[in-house]
Amino acid sequence: MTNGVEYLSDGCIVDFDAWESTWEKAFTTLRVRDASKWSSPSQIKSSSILNSNNPHESGASLIDGKCAHPICVVEAGHTNYHTANSAASTVHAEAFARKQRETMAEILFEKMDAPHLFIAPAPALAAFSVGRQSGLVVDVGGGGCRATPIIDGLMLKGAQRRSGRGGEWLSDVQYRILNQRGIKVNPRYAVKVKYERGGGGSSTTSDGSSSSDVIMEDRNNDNKSTEEMGRVGGMKKIVQYPPTTTNSFHRNALRDVMYEMKTGGHCVVPNYTDAPTDGSKGSSTNSAAAVASSDATSSEENFHNYELPDGTQVDIGGSGSNLRSLPGLLFEELADDATRSSSLSSQSVVARTLTTLPLHKMAHEALSQADIDARKELCGNIILCGATTLFPNLEQRLSAEMSAICPFTYKCKIIAAKPVERQFASWIGASVLTSLGSFQQLWLSKLEYEEYGVTLGCQRFP
């Protein structure tokens, strides 16, 4: 399937051809157009497309080219995060979002032959996934985090706040820490394991690359034949880069290594009482050193080591930077450029953010932009979603931070579903929404699309 990074930019579609190819691949994989999938055995037997004894071997097609189900599309739901104070830019953002919806509707109706269509923003669907029509949705994903007030199922676009701190940003900081320690990260595809027949021998060192290298810099072709050897037990690990490796493949492989290390179970969000309170800010070149401020957050005496794919042992809590408290950076004050994504991501669009505040202050600012009569209800329904929220103790830390900065008359309650439900909150919310009997009249049918046009048809979407 097409990589989403190739056609998405800050959640917005920039390459609709690749987006259409993704839908085609999904339709083929799920057999959406397969006539035999939605037919009873008696209908299949009498169908003219199954005249042969074995239609699959004879080449007879079971596909009639039509989609049997309505389609609910989840859009990013982002507001303008380039120049928030410019009225002209806000109008441009609204026009851009409207054009996105119209293009999606045209493709799904014209190319995918969808019978009915509905487009809904992801924050509203995340609230529906936990049975709430109103609440403050705090979504922390791979590309960043955002806080969106939802009232009666409608998103307050002007009150939404978004930051570039997310899973990919944490992976960037983690790599900088390894880089500062002089540890070279090699992807799994370049590691080969060979078992030794003889006795021991000492482990070899890295190739001496500079510690200032950035993780996702494109590899030069003359470096792909480099070999490194590490000895673990009775086997020898050889690092050898194939000559035909592309730069994008290499970047994605390194991102996978950083993701595996980050989610290895050792990363824990520091407690609220252990968090630094001096409010000191970091810098772009020294942002990784902010992890060291939480060295004392863990009471464990022995930090276990983490083994990289090439056999390199990484001390999780040593060398002045505690990787165990890496997720705590989501709650710390950092400089503007410290929240920008490095070259870990293939695109630098995450750097364009609306705010650089930490997670709890960003949620408080979004809460302050809502109507004063609705703030108490929003405080009591803070909905946590996104895969990056699965770090241990993040829910408790956010609850403590929000209770500390909100008025004492507001009772802050964090609603965190099960891990799987948090990862797929938008999908679950769309399933809940479309199964309601009162929702069926909100579908945009293809007949209405052909009669009123795409511009008028898309006006019914929230």
Side-chain angles (χ1 to χ4, degrees):
M1 186 174 291
T2 306
N3 186 3
V5 179
E6 297 179 357
Y7 63 85
L8 290 178
S9 172
D10 273 333
C12 301
I13 305 172
V14 294
D15 188 352
F16 278 98
D17 292 335
W19 185 77
E20 179 183 347
S21 300
T22 304
W23 276 95
E24 287 285 359
K25 177 63 176 179
F27 273 35
T28 304
T29 304
L30 300 176
R31 297 174 58 195
V32 174
R33 299 188 179 118
D34 197 333
S36 63
K37 185 176 181 180
W38 316 111
S39 304
S40 62
S42 59
Q43 291 175 325
I44 296 177
K45 186 175 181 180
S46 61
S47 178
S48 59
I49 64 174
L50 298 177
N51 291 330
S52 60
N53 295 330
N54 194 337
H56 293 284
E57 293 183 359
S58 61
S61 175
L62 298 177
I63 300 178
D64 59 3
K66 294 183 179 180
C67 178
H69 285 286
I71 298 177
C72 180
V73 180
V74 181
E75 67 170 1
H78 291 334
T79 54
N80 180 32
Y81 36 79
H82 298 285
T83 50
N85 298 325
S86 174
S89 63
T90 304
V91 174
H92 173 73
E94 292 293 336
F96 179 78
R98 184 168 59 251
K99 182 62 177 178
Q100 288 261 309
R101 292 186 174 189
E102 294 176 358
T103 307
M104 286 191 290
E106 290 176 353
I107 292 177
L108 292 174
F109 276 126
E110 302 293 341
K111 303 294 182 63
M112 303 291 107
D113 202 12
H116 298 82
L117 176 66
F118 191 81
I119 302 176
L125 297 178
F128 295 152
S129 67
V130 294
R132 299 294 194 278
Q133 290 187 348
S134 299
L136 180 64
V137 179
V138 179
D139 187 355
V140 188
C145 57
R146 61 182 175 183
T148 310
I150 304 294
I151 297 180
D152 294 334
L154 298 178
M155 182 178 67
L156 301 184
K157 299 180 180 180
Q160 186 188 64
R161 292 297 180 266
R162 185 172 183 266
S163 172
R165 302 190 198 185
E168 297 293 341
W169 177 75
L170 290 177
S171 298
D172 288 341
V173 176
Q174 179 179 248
Y175 180 79
R176 295 192 196 113
I177 295 175
L178 298 178
N179 219 351
Q180 291 173 1
R181 296 184 186 180
I183 299 176
K184 178 178 174 58
V185 181
N186 295 294
R188 291 190 178 275
Y189 75 87
V191 178
K192 297 181 180 179
V193 179
K194 291 186 178 181
Y195 293 92
E196 294 181 328
R197 297 181 180 178
S202 59
S203 60
T204 59
T205 58
S206 63
D207 62 353
S209 58
S210 174
S211 61
S212 61
D213 294 340
V214 185
I215 179 172
M216 295 310 296
E217 285 185 349
D218 296 339
R219 292 190 52 82
N220 296 325
N221 292 330
D222 54 351
N223 290 335
K224 293 183 179 179
S225 60
T226 323
E227 291 190 6
E228 297 177 5
M229 299 182 183
R231 201 177 303 273
V232 180
M235 61 184 180
K236 179 173 60 176
K237 291 188 176 182
I238 300 178
V239 178
Q240 184 175 7
Y241 289 90
T244 57
T245 304
T246 60
N247 293 326
S248 60
F249 180 82
H250 178 73
R251 288 194 298 266
N252 290 332
L254 286 176
R255 290 173 60 190
D256 292 340
V257 174
M258 289 293 97
Y259 176 80
E260 293 174 3
M261 181 177 179
K262 179 182 60 180
T263 58
H266 57 267
C267 291
V268 181
V269 178
N271 294 326
Y272 171 69
T273 55
D274 298 330
T277 57
D278 55 357
S280 58
K281 295 186 177 182
S283 61
S284 60
T285 59
N286 199 25
S287 61
V291 183
S293 61
S294 302
D295 261 341
T297 58
S298 177
S299 60
E300 299 184 12
E301 296 181 358
N302 297 322
F303 295 97
H304 68 277
N305 293 336
Y306 182 86
E307 182 178 338
L308 294 176
D310 59 356
T312 304
Q313 296 292 328
V314 179
D315 187 2
I316 298 301
S319 302
S321 296
N322 186 1
L323 290 176
R324 288 179 55 87
S325 59
L326 178 69
L329 291 178
L330 296 174
F331 296 91
E332 293 185 11
E333 295 279 358
L334 298 174
D336 185 2
D337 51 357
T339 61
R340 298 178 181 270
S341 175
S342 74
S343 55
L344 173 68
S345 305
S346 59
Q347 300 176 358
S348 60
V349 294
V350 182
R352 300 193 297 266
T353 58
L354 183 63
T355 179
T356 57
L357 294 174
L359 182 61
H360 58 287
K361 291 187 178 181
M362 181 187 66
H364 181 263
E365 183 176 337
L367 183 68
S368 303
Q369 298 299 316
D371 189 82
I372 191 171
D373 296 331
R375 294 177 187 176
K376 188 173 184 178
E377 182 181 5
L378 294 178
C379 261
N381 295 276
I382 302 178
I383 303 166
L384 203 60
C385 62
T388 310
T389 62
L390 301 181
F391 285 111
N393 203 41
L394 190 144
E395 174 187 352
Q396 292 78 4
R397 174 69 181 274
L398 180 61
S399 177
E401 294 280 5
M402 292 296 295
S403 300
I405 61 178
C406 290
F408 68 94
T409 56
Y410 294 171
K411 182 180 179 181
C412 297
K413 180 182 178 181
I414 306 297
I415 301 175
K418 297 179 180 179
V420 177
E421 296 178 359
R422 267 188 270 175
Q423 287 181 281
F424 306 102
S426 298
W427 189 93
I428 296 175
S431 178
V432 171
L433 178 64
T434 54
S435 62
L436 298 176
S438 58
F439 173 78
Q440 305 309 316
Q441 59 184 353
L442 299 180
W443 288 107
L444 175 63
S445 65
K446 190 171 184 179
L447 181 62
E448 293 174 324
Y449 164 78
E450 294 174 347
E451 180 178 357
Y452 299 111
V454 64
T455 302
L456 294 178
C458 290
Q459 289 182 357
R460 69 172 58 187
F461 302 144

